[in-house]
Amino acid sequence: MGARRVVTVVTALGLVAAFGYWLGHRQPEPRPPETPPLGCAVEAGGVVHLDHEQMANAATITAVGVSLGMPDRAVVVALATAMQESKLYNLPHLGAYNDHDSVGLFQQRPSQGWGTEEEVSDPRYASRQFYLALQDVPGWEEMRVTDAAQRVQRSAFPEAYERWADDAQVLATALLGHEPGAVNCRVPDQPPVAGETAASALGRLLTLDWGDQASVALADPPGVTVSASGVAAGWRYAHWLVSHAAEHGVTRVHFGDLEWTAAASTWSPADAAIDHVHAEVAGEVAGDPVADNPA
């Protein structure tokens, strides 16, 4: 009986050891590939991640600054200010949670002379008012970002803007066209608008944001073309278009020898180089918008 018991115990220990070895050396189950989240990544001397609404607002703030002839530094200050004040969301009046009567991207207060609530709720108007106020600050160009912003905003937290200075510099570098292919967005498969309706709306918004800076024409198949006076100008418009892609059904943007597509969600070499910016929007099938996702 003793020998039999010993054999049984040894056998059991051997099975346990073998099972442990199998657990330690078995191949892991392959994981399905993860789908990248919707949203945008900006890479220009650093990386900033934004959702579509934030990205579009950052692009609009930049465009308004360029249209006013403001220097690059002003765009950095404006972006850092909006990142602190609203996280780049165009905030409505938040009722009991509102800071007095502050509204919009820069949390400007109608009672303090910034304009009506409707006016400061318009990202273009709000951006313009911020830049004009910044222009009136003597020596703002030599100030720290937070000091220049504070002279305009008069916040209870004057140092708060500096925390966004580096991210604002990344965004400004890309959106001002100083780094090619720096804005990449992953957009929904089914855009909210398509076809000629989308192209017309996109063209109108380009003109609203950029003013006389942009020469815009509708294209066929549905899309827009924008003349570029140089490489930086071309990348300004190209990045603006990618920034607004989710809202306006943009499926392809081409400038120089690179193109961004909604299908790839990134920039890649194009078949040919062009000296203007060309964008295509999703097509329509039986009245429903469907993304063309061209190669």
Side-chain angles (χ1 to χ4, degrees), residues 23-75:
L23 281 176
H25 292 81
R26 68 189 180 97
Q27 293 296 319
E29 292 292 331
R31 294 182 178 179
E34 294 184 1
T35 301
L38 298 179
C40 303
V42 182
E43 298 186 45
V47 182
V48 175
H49 294 276
L50 300 175
D51 67 23
H52 295 132
E53 181 181 351
Q54 292 172 305
M55 192 73 243
N57 285 329
T60 290
I61 291 169
T62 303
V64 172
V66 174
S67 72
L68 290 173
M70 297 297 291
D72 292 2
R73 180 69 171 174
V75 175

Side-chain angles (χ1 to χ4, degrees), residues 56-57 59-65 67-68 70 78 82 90-91 101 103-135 152-153 205 207-211:
N57 285 329
T60 290
I61 291 169
T62 303
V64 172
S67 72
L68 290 173
M70 297 297 291
N90 190 28
L91 297 176
D101 56 340
V103 179
L105 285 173
F106 295 90
Q107 290 293 279
Q108 293 156 334
R109 297 180 59 188
S111 65
Q112 300 302 307
W114 286 100
T116 67
E117 183 172 335
E118 181 179 4
E119 286 174 332
V120 297
S121 297
D122 176 359
R124 282 158 293 280
Y125 177 92
S127 298
R128 181 181 178 85
Q129 294 303 105
F130 177 86
Y131 285 120
L132 294 178
L134 181 64
Q135 273 186 321
V152 175
Q153 300 295 105
L205 188 60
T207 302
L208 282 173
D209 275 12
W210 292 98

Side-chain angles (χ1 to χ4, degrees), residues 194-207 214-227 241 248 276-281:
E196 293 182 0
T197 300
S200 296
L202 189 64
R204 286 195 298 272
L205 188 60
L206 267 162
T207 302
S215 177
V216 183
L218 296 180
D220 186 28
V224 298
T225 61
V226 190
S227 299
L241 286 160
H248 290 88
H276 61 280
V277 182
H278 177 75
E280 296 176 13
V281 299

